[in-house]
Amino acid sequence: MIDRTSADDLMSLASGMQVGAILVLAHDPGDVEALLADRVRTVPRLRRRLVTTPFGCGRPIWIDDAAFDIARHVSRTTCPAPGDEAALLNLASALVIRPLPRSAPLWSATLVTGLAEGRAALILVFHHVLSDGIGGLAVLANLVDGAPHAETTPFPAPPPSRRELAADAWLRPPRRVSLPRLQWPARGSRCSLNRPTGPRRQQAIVHTSVSRLRTAAHRCAGTVNDALLTAVTGALHTVLTKRGDHVDELIVSIPVSTRRATTAAHLGNSTGVMPVALPTGGDPSSRLTRIAAITRSHKQSAVSAAPVFRALKVLGMANWFMNHQRMVHTVVTNVHGPDHPMRLGGAPVIGLIPLSATTGNVTVAFAALSYSDAFTVTVVADPDQVPDLAELTEALRAELDLLR
């Protein structure tokens, strides 16, 4: 079969966004290059590169990289002193914004040693065009211990001919997605959250418990995601007030997957976007109750933004729009990660941290990932536009504690 990009994939490709995760390990797993060299064989796209097709042959496709070399994707480094969480995050921030070369498969893995208490970490980075968050979990499941055995499919497979590409492009049935019309909230209030961003990014994290958030959410007829949104809006309200911005409502873009699960053989992006206007004031419990009601009323309003993005791309306005839009103040994504403990090369995975990067004029965004009962929220920001990231992180921690 021809592995062709989707409309959502093309939007992710144009955005240039790279994402990933940090696997915090109890100790050095040893020869991680040899380990990953064997396990990437179960994830076809980790040995494929993205190429354009001739005119009339449809969207870009993924083909086996005949020159694939695991050494180009896996490296080892020592964490700068003092080897703590902040030093690890600084290293990961630099890696997630470093562009992956388009001439090779779009991923990298960096083993970090020299962490406190004899720990190590594996920083995984991939271009968002490779997959969304649900697909990322499928990739992770094939890389950790206990992954399925590698298939014996011959590698590399020859790329499809021009005739095969043309036939596939013309005969492939169009993907029909039955989604309601997008109802975007009114344009957001002007505030310091929307400013042109530069090339640098900084990550900070907050830890809490899934079970405690779930308990707090259920008291207010909400979900864990509603509790996260409540903490985020409260924290942003605190920081914005200190900046002199008075915003009673924030427009939050929430990525929503259109699938609950996938396999490593079927990656790509299959997401919609749910924009919601959320309150920032009031005590946490009343705000959580209001937010839960708002998100319930929007559950069926998530749609793909690909058609709009394609139109802007054709008009040559996509980049301008991303840098000047006032339709979204921030982005909050939440992925339900593995419920069971994992190991990599025999080393227990004792932490799982999501990595992301903001785009356009969204100066700060939030990514959450659960692992067993641990719930980790990464705050990613442009440090030049968000000099008070430490205050924002502490405000988020305080809001989560209030919910607990």
Side-chain angles (χ1 to χ4, degrees), residues 75-150:
S75 60
R76 179 185 285 256
T77 190
T78 302
C79 187
D84 57 4
E85 188 175 77
L88 175 62
L89 288 174
N90 287 338
L91 183 58
S93 296
L95 291 173
V96 78
I97 63 172
R98 186 176 68 186
L100 294 164
R102 297 284 182 91
S103 59
L106 295 170
W107 67 279
S108 71
T110 304
L111 181 67
V112 183
T113 56
L115 296 178
E117 301 178 4
R119 296 176 176 177
L122 186 71
I123 302 175
L124 295 171
V125 175
F126 59 88
H127 196 294
H128 210 314
V129 69
L130 193 146
S131 189
D132 54 22
I134 298 297
L137 292 178
V139 172
L140 179 61
N142 280 50
L143 298 183
V144 296
D145 295 357
H149 293 295

Coordinates of all heavy atoms in Angstrom, one line a residue, residues 75-150:
S75 N 21.5 9.4 19.6 CA 22.7 10.0 20.1 C 22.7 9.9 21.7 O 21.7 9.6 22.3 CB 22.9 11.4 19.7 OG 21.8 12.2 20.2
R76 N 23.9 10.2 22.2 CA 24.0 10.2 23.7 C 24.7 11.5 24.2 O 25.6 12.0 23.5 CB 24.9 9.0 24.1 CG 25.1 8.8 25.6 CD 26.1 7.6 25.9 NE 25.4 6.4 25.7 CZ 25.0 5.6 26.8 NH1 25.2 6.0 28.0 NH2 24.4 4.5 26.6
T77 N 24.3 12.0 25.3 CA 24.9 13.2 25.8 C 24.8 13.2 27.3 O 24.0 12.4 27.9 CB 24.2 14.5 25.2 OG1 24.9 15.7 25.6 CG2 22.7 14.6 25.8
T78 N 25.6 14.1 27.9 CA 25.6 14.2 29.4 C 24.8 15.5 29.8 O 25.0 16.5 29.2 CB 27.0 14.3 29.9 OG1 27.7 13.1 29.5 CG2 27.0 14.4 31.5
C79 N 23.9 15.4 30.7 CA 23.2 16.5 31.2 C 24.1 17.5 31.9 O 24.9 17.1 32.7 CB 22.1 16.1 32.2 SG 20.9 17.4 32.6
P80 N 24.0 18.8 31.6 CA 24.8 19.8 32.3 C 24.5 19.8 33.8 O 23.4 19.5 34.2 CB 24.3 21.1 31.6 CG 23.8 20.7 30.3 CD 23.1 19.4 30.5
A81 N 25.5 20.2 34.6 CA 25.3 20.3 36.0 C 24.2 21.3 36.3 O 24.0 22.3 35.6 CB 26.6 20.7 36.7
P82 N 23.4 21.1 37.3 CA 23.6 20.0 38.4 C 22.8 18.7 38.0 O 22.7 17.9 38.9 CB 23.0 20.7 39.6 CG 21.9 21.6 39.1 CD 22.4 22.1 37.7
G83 N 22.4 18.6 36.8 CA 21.7 17.3 36.4 C 20.3 17.2 37.0 O 19.8 16.1 37.2
D84 N 19.7 18.3 37.3 CA 18.3 18.2 37.9 C 17.3 18.3 36.8 O 17.6 18.3 35.6 CB 18.2 19.3 38.9 CG 18.4 20.7 38.4 OD1 18.6 20.9 37.1 OD2 18.4 21.7 39.1
E85 N 16.0 18.5 37.2 CA 14.9 18.5 36.3 C 15.0 19.7 35.4 O 14.7 19.6 34.2 CB 13.6 18.5 37.1 CG 12.3 18.4 36.3 CD 11.1 18.3 37.1 OE1 10.6 19.3 37.6 OE2 10.6 17.1 37.3
A86 N 15.3 20.9 35.9 CA 15.4 22.1 35.1 C 16.5 22.0 34.1 O 16.3 22.4 32.9 CB 15.8 23.3 36.0
A87 N 17.6 21.4 34.4 CA 18.7 21.2 33.4 C 18.3 20.2 32.3 O 18.5 20.4 31.1 CB 20.0 20.6 34.1
L88 N 17.5 19.2 32.7 CA 17.0 18.2 31.7 C 16.0 18.9 30.8 O 16.0 18.7 29.5 CB 16.4 17.0 32.4 CG 15.7 16.0 31.5 CD1 16.7 15.4 30.5 CD2 15.0 14.9 32.3
L89 N 15.1 19.7 31.3 CA 14.1 20.4 30.5 C 14.8 21.4 29.5 O 14.3 21.6 28.4 CB 13.1 21.2 31.4 CG 12.1 20.3 32.1 CD1 11.3 21.1 33.1 CD2 11.2 19.5 31.2
N90 N 15.8 22.1 30.0 CA 16.5 23.1 29.1 C 17.1 22.3 27.9 O 17.1 22.8 26.8 CB 17.6 23.8 29.9 CG 17.1 24.8 30.8 OD1 15.9 25.3 30.6 ND2 17.8 25.2 31.8
L91 N 17.7 21.1 28.2 CA 18.3 20.3 27.1 C 17.2 19.9 26.1 O 17.3 20.0 24.9 CB 19.0 19.1 27.7 CG 19.7 18.2 26.8 CD1 20.8 19.0 25.9 CD2 20.4 17.1 27.5
A92 N 16.1 19.4 26.7 CA 15.0 19.0 25.9 C 14.4 20.1 25.0 O 14.0 19.9 23.9 CB 13.9 18.3 26.7
S93 N 14.3 21.3 25.6 CA 13.7 22.4 24.9 C 14.5 22.8 23.6 O 14.0 23.1 22.6 CB 13.7 23.7 25.8 OG 12.8 23.5 26.9
A94 N 15.9 22.7 23.8 CA 16.7 22.9 22.6 C 16.6 21.8 21.6 O 16.6 22.1 20.3 CB 18.2 23.0 23.1
L95 N 16.3 20.6 22.0 CA 16.2 19.5 21.0 C 14.9 19.6 20.3 O 14.8 19.3 19.1 CB 16.4 18.2 21.7 CG 17.8 17.8 22.2 CD1 17.7 16.5 23.1 CD2 18.7 17.7 21.1
V96 N 13.8 19.9 21.0 CA 12.5 19.9 20.3 C 12.3 21.0 19.3 O 11.4 20.9 18.4 CB 11.4 19.9 21.4 CG1 11.1 21.3 21.9 CG2 10.1 19.3 20.9
I97 N 13.1 22.0 19.4 CA 12.9 23.1 18.4 C 14.0 23.0 17.3 O 14.0 23.8 16.4 CB 13.0 24.5 19.1 CG1 14.3 24.8 19.7 CG2 11.8 24.7 20.0 CD1 14.5 26.2 20.2
R98 N 15.0 22.1 17.4 CA 16.0 22.0 16.4 C 15.4 21.2 15.2 O 14.9 20.1 15.3 CB 17.2 21.2 16.9 CG 18.3 21.1 16.0 CD 19.5 20.4 16.6 NE 19.2 19.0 16.9 CZ 20.0 18.1 17.6 NH1 21.1 18.6 18.1 NH2 19.7 16.9 17.7
P99 N 15.3 21.9 14.0 CA 14.6 21.2 12.9 C 15.2 19.9 12.5 O 16.4 19.7 12.4 CB 14.8 22.3 11.8 CG 15.1 23.6 12.5 CD 15.8 23.2 13.7
L100 N 14.3 18.9 12.3 CA 14.8 17.6 11.9 C 15.0 17.7 10.3 O 14.2 18.3 9.6 CB 13.7 16.5 12.2 CG 13.5 16.3 13.7 CD1 12.2 15.5 13.9 CD2 14.7 15.5 14.3
P101 N 16.0 17.1 9.8 CA 16.3 17.2 8.4 C 15.2 16.4 7.6 O 14.9 15.3 7.9 CB 17.7 16.5 8.2 CG 17.8 15.7 9.4 CD 17.1 16.3 10.5
R102 N 14.7 17.1 6.5 CA 13.6 16.5 5.7 C 14.2 15.4 4.8 O 13.4 14.6 4.2 CB 13.0 17.6 4.8 CG 12.3 18.7 5.6 CD 11.0 18.2 6.1 NE 10.2 19.3 6.8 CZ 9.4 20.1 6.2 NH1 9.2 20.0 4.9 NH2 8.8 21.1 6.9
S103 N 15.5 15.2 4.7 CA 16.1 14.2 3.9 C 16.1 12.8 4.5 O 16.6 11.9 3.9 CB 17.5 14.6 3.5 OG 18.3 14.8 4.6
A104 N 15.6 12.7 5.7 CA 15.7 11.5 6.5 C 14.4 11.3 7.3 O 13.6 12.2 7.3 CB 16.9 11.5 7.4
P105 N 14.1 10.1 7.8 CA 13.0 10.0 8.7 C 12.9 11.0 9.8 O 14.0 11.4 10.4 CB 13.2 8.6 9.3 CG 13.9 7.8 8.2 CD 14.9 8.8 7.6
L106 N 11.7 11.5 10.1 CA 11.6 12.8 10.9 C 11.5 12.5 12.4 O 10.4 12.7 13.0 CB 10.4 13.5 10.4 CG 10.5 14.1 9.0 CD1 9.2 14.6 8.4 CD2 11.6 15.1 8.9
W107 N 12.6 11.9 13.0 CA 12.6 11.7 14.4 C 14.0 11.6 14.9 O 14.9 11.5 14.2 CB 11.8 10.4 14.7 CG 12.5 9.1 14.2 CD1 12.5 8.6 13.0 CD2 13.4 8.3 15.0 NE1 13.3 7.5 12.9 CE2 13.9 7.3 14.1 CE3 13.8 8.3 16.3 CZ2 14.7 6.2 14.5 CZ3 14.7 7.2 16.7 CH2 15.1 6.2 15.9
S108 N 14.1 11.8 16.2 CA 15.4 11.6 16.9 C 15.2 11.1 18.3 O 14.1 11.3 18.9 CB 16.2 13.0 16.9 OG 15.6 13.8 17.8
A109 N 16.2 10.5 18.8 CA 16.2 10.0 20.2 C 17.6 10.3 20.8 O 18.6 10.0 20.3 CB 16.0 8.5 20.3
T110 N 17.6 10.9 22.0 CA 18.8 11.3 22.7 C 18.8 10.8 24.1 O 17.9 11.1 24.9 CB 18.9 12.9 22.7 OG1 18.8 13.4 21.4 CG2 20.3 13.3 23.4
L111 N 19.8 9.9 24.4 CA 19.9 9.4 25.7 C 20.8 10.3 26.5 O 21.9 10.7 26.2 CB 20.6 8.0 25.7 CG 20.8 7.3 27.1 CD1 19.4 6.9 27.6 CD2 21.7 6.1 27.0
V112 N 20.2 10.7 27.7 CA 20.8 11.7 28.5 C 21.3 11.0 29.8 O 20.4 10.4 30.5 CB 19.9 12.9 28.9 CG1 20.6 13.9 29.7 CG2 19.3 13.5 27.6
T113 N 22.6 11.1 30.1 CA 23.1 10.5 31.4 C 23.6 11.7 32.2 O 23.5 12.8 31.9 CB 24.2 9.6 31.1 OG1 25.3 10.3 30.3 CG2 23.8 8.4 30.3
G114 N 24.0 11.3 33.4 CA 24.5 12.4 34.3 C 23.5 13.1 35.1 O 23.7 14.2 35.7
L115 N 22.3 12.5 35.2 CA 21.2 13.1 36.0 C 21.4 12.7 37.5 O 22.1 11.8 37.8 CB 19.8 12.6 35.5 CG 19.4 12.9 34.1 CD1 18.1 12.3 33.7 CD2 19.4 14.5 33.9
A116 N 20.7 13.5 38.3 CA 20.8 13.3 39.7 C 20.3 11.9 40.1 O 19.5 11.3 39.4 CB 20.0 14.3 40.5
E117 N 20.9 11.3 41.2 CA 20.5 10.0 41.7 C 20.7 8.9 40.7 O 20.1 7.9 40.8 CB 19.0 10.0 42.2 CG 18.7 11.1 43.2 CD 17.2 11.1 43.6 OE1 16.5 10.3 43.1 OE2 16.9 12.0 44.4
G118 N 21.7 9.1 39.8 CA 22.1 8.0 38.9 C 21.1 7.7 37.8 O 21.1 6.7 37.1
R119 N 20.1 8.7 37.6 CA 19.1 8.5 36.6 C 19.6 8.8 35.2 O 20.6 9.4 35.1 CB 17.9 9.3 37.0 CG 17.2 8.9 38.3 CD 16.0 9.8 38.7 NE 15.3 9.3 39.9 CZ 14.3 10.0 40.4 NH1 13.9 11.1 39.9 NH2 13.8 9.5 41.5
A120 N 18.8 8.4 34.3 CA 19.0 8.8 32.9 C 17.7 9.2 32.2 O 16.6 9.1 32.9 CB 19.6 7.6 32.1
A121 N 17.7 9.6 31.0 CA 16.5 10.0 30.3 C 16.7 9.8 28.8 O 17.8 9.9 28.3 CB 16.1 11.4 30.6
L122 N 15.6 9.4 28.2 CA 15.5 9.3 26.7 C 14.6 10.4 26.2 O 13.4 10.4 26.5 CB 15.1 8.0 26.2 CG 15.2 7.7 24.7 CD1 16.6 7.6 24.3 CD2 14.4 6.5 24.3
I123 N 15.1 11.3 25.4 CA 14.3 12.4 24.8 C 14.0 12.0 23.4 O 14.8 11.9 22.5 CB 15.1 13.8 24.8 CG1 15.5 14.1 26.3 CG2 14.3 14.9 24.2 CD1 16.4 15.4 26.4
L124 N 12.7 11.8 23.2 CA 12.2 11.4 21.8 C 11.6 12.7 21.2 O 10.8 13.3 21.8 CB 11.1 10.3 21.9 CG 11.6 9.0 22.4 CD1 10.4 8.0 22.7 CD2 12.5 8.3 21.4
V125 N 12.0 13.0 20.0 CA 11.4 14.1 19.2 C 11.0 13.6 17.9 O 11.7 12.9 17.2 CB 12.5 15.2 19.1 CG1 11.9 16.4 18.2 CG2 12.8 15.8 20.5
F126 N 9.8 14.0 17.4 CA 9.4 13.7 16.0 C 8.6 14.9 15.5 O 8.0 15.7 16.2 CB 8.7 12.4 15.9 CG 7.4 12.3 16.7 CD1 6.2 12.7 16.2 CD2 7.4 11.7 18.0 CE1 5.0 12.6 16.9 CE2 6.3 11.6 18.7 CZ 5.1 12.1 18.2
H127 N 8.6 15.0 14.2 CA 7.8 16.1 13.5 C 6.4 15.7 13.6 O 6.0 14.5 13.5 CB 8.2 16.2 12.0 CG 7.8 17.5 11.4 ND1 6.4 17.7 11.2 CD2 8.4 18.5 10.9 CE1 6.3 18.9 10.6 NE2 7.5 19.4 10.5
H128 N 5.5 16.6 13.9 CA 4.1 16.4 14.0 C 3.5 15.7 12.8 O 2.4 15.0 12.9 CB 3.3 17.6 14.4 CG 2.1 17.4 15.3 ND1 1.2 16.4 15.0 CD2 1.7 18.1 16.4 CE1 0.3 16.5 16.0 NE2 0.6 17.5 16.8
V129 N 4.1 15.9 11.6 CA 3.5 15.2 10.4 C 3.5 13.7 10.5 O 2.8 13.0 9.9 CB 4.2 15.7 9.2 CG1 5.6 15.2 9.1 CG2 3.5 15.3 7.9
L130 N 4.5 13.2 11.3 CA 4.6 11.8 11.5 C 3.4 11.2 12.2 O 2.9 10.1 11.8 CB 5.9 11.4 12.3 CG 6.4 10.0 12.2 CD1 7.9 10.0 12.3 CD2 5.8 9.2 13.4
S131 N 2.9 11.9 13.2 CA 1.7 11.4 13.9 C 1.2 12.3 14.9 O 1.9 13.3 15.3 CB 2.0 10.0 14.5 OG 0.8 9.4 15.0
D132 N 0.0 12.1 15.3 CA -0.6 12.9 16.4 C -0.3 12.2 17.7 O 0.5 11.2 17.8 CB -2.1 13.0 16.2 CG -2.8 11.7 16.0 OD1 -2.3 10.7 16.4 OD2 -3.9 11.7 15.5
G133 N -0.9 12.7 18.8 CA -0.6 12.1 20.1 C -1.0 10.6 20.3 O -0.3 9.9 20.9
I134 N -2.1 10.2 19.7 CA -2.6 8.8 19.8 C -1.6 8.0 19.1 O -1.2 6.9 19.6 CB -4.0 8.7 19.3 CG1 -5.0 9.5 20.1 CG2 -4.4 7.2 19.2 CD1 -5.1 9.1 21.5
G135 N -1.1 8.4 17.9 CA -0.1 7.6 17.2 C 1.2 7.6 17.9 O 1.9 6.6 17.9
G136 N 1.5 8.7 18.6 CA 2.8 8.8 19.4 C 2.8 7.7 20.5 O 3.9 7.1 20.7
L137 N 1.7 7.4 21.1 CA 1.6 6.4 22.1 C 1.8 5.0 21.5 O 2.4 4.1 22.1 CB 0.2 6.4 22.8 CG 0.0 7.7 23.7 CD1 -1.4 7.6 24.3 CD2 1.0 7.8 24.8
A138 N 1.3 4.8 20.3 CA 1.5 3.6 19.6 C 3.0 3.3 19.3 O 3.5 2.2 19.4 CB 0.7 3.5 18.3
V139 N 3.7 4.4 18.9 CA 5.1 4.4 18.6 C 5.9 4.0 19.9 O 6.7 3.1 19.9 CB 5.7 5.7 18.1 CG1 7.2 5.7 18.0 CG2 5.1 6.0 16.7
L140 N 5.5 4.7 21.0 CA 6.2 4.4 22.3 C 6.0 3.0 22.7 O 6.9 2.3 23.2 CB 5.6 5.3 23.4 CG 6.1 5.2 24.8 CD1 7.6 5.5 24.8 CD2 5.4 6.1 25.7
A141 N 4.8 2.4 22.5 CA 4.5 1.0 22.9 C 5.4 0.0 22.2 O 5.7 -1.1 22.6 CB 3.0 0.7 22.7
N142 N 5.8 0.4 20.9 CA 6.7 -0.5 20.2 C 8.2 -0.3 20.4 O 9.0 -1.0 19.9 CB 6.4 -0.2 18.7 CG 5.2 -1.0 18.2 OD1 4.1 -0.9 18.8 ND2 5.3 -1.7 17.1
L143 N 8.5 0.7 21.2 CA 9.9 1.0 21.5 C 10.3 0.5 22.9 O 11.5 0.2 23.1 CB 10.2 2.5 21.4 CG 10.0 3.1 20.0 CD1 10.5 4.6 20.0 CD2 10.8 2.4 18.9
V144 N 9.4 0.4 23.8 CA 9.8 0.0 25.2 C 9.8 -1.5 25.2 O 9.5 -2.2 24.3 CB 8.7 0.6 26.2 CG1 8.8 2.1 26.2 CG2 7.3 0.1 25.9
D145 N 10.3 -2.0 26.4 CA 10.4 -3.5 26.6 C 9.0 -4.1 26.5 O 8.0 -3.5 26.9 CB 11.0 -3.8 27.9 CG 12.5 -3.3 28.1 OD1 13.0 -2.8 27.1 OD2 13.0 -3.4 29.2
G146 N 9.0 -5.4 25.9 CA 7.8 -6.1 25.8 C 7.1 -5.7 24.5 O 6.0 -6.2 24.2
A147 N 7.7 -5.0 23.6 CA 7.2 -4.6 22.3 C 7.1 -5.9 21.4 O 7.8 -6.8 21.6 CB 8.0 -3.6 21.6
P148 N 6.2 -5.9 20.4 CA 6.1 -7.0 19.5 C 7.4 -7.3 18.7 O 8.2 -6.3 18.5 CB 4.9 -6.6 18.6 CG 4.8 -5.2 18.7 CD 5.3 -4.8 20.0
H149 N 7.6 -8.5 18.3 CA 8.8 -8.8 17.5 C 8.7 -8.1 16.2 O 7.7 -7.9 15.6 CB 8.9 -10.3 17.3 CG 9.1 -11.1 18.6 ND1 10.3 -11.0 19.3 CD2 8.3 -12.0 19.3 CE1 10.2 -11.7 20.4 NE2 9.0 -12.4 20.4
A150 N 9.9 -7.8 15.7 CA 10.0 -7.2 14.4 C 9.5 -8.1 13.2 O 9.7 -9.3 13.2 CB 11.5 -6.8 14.1

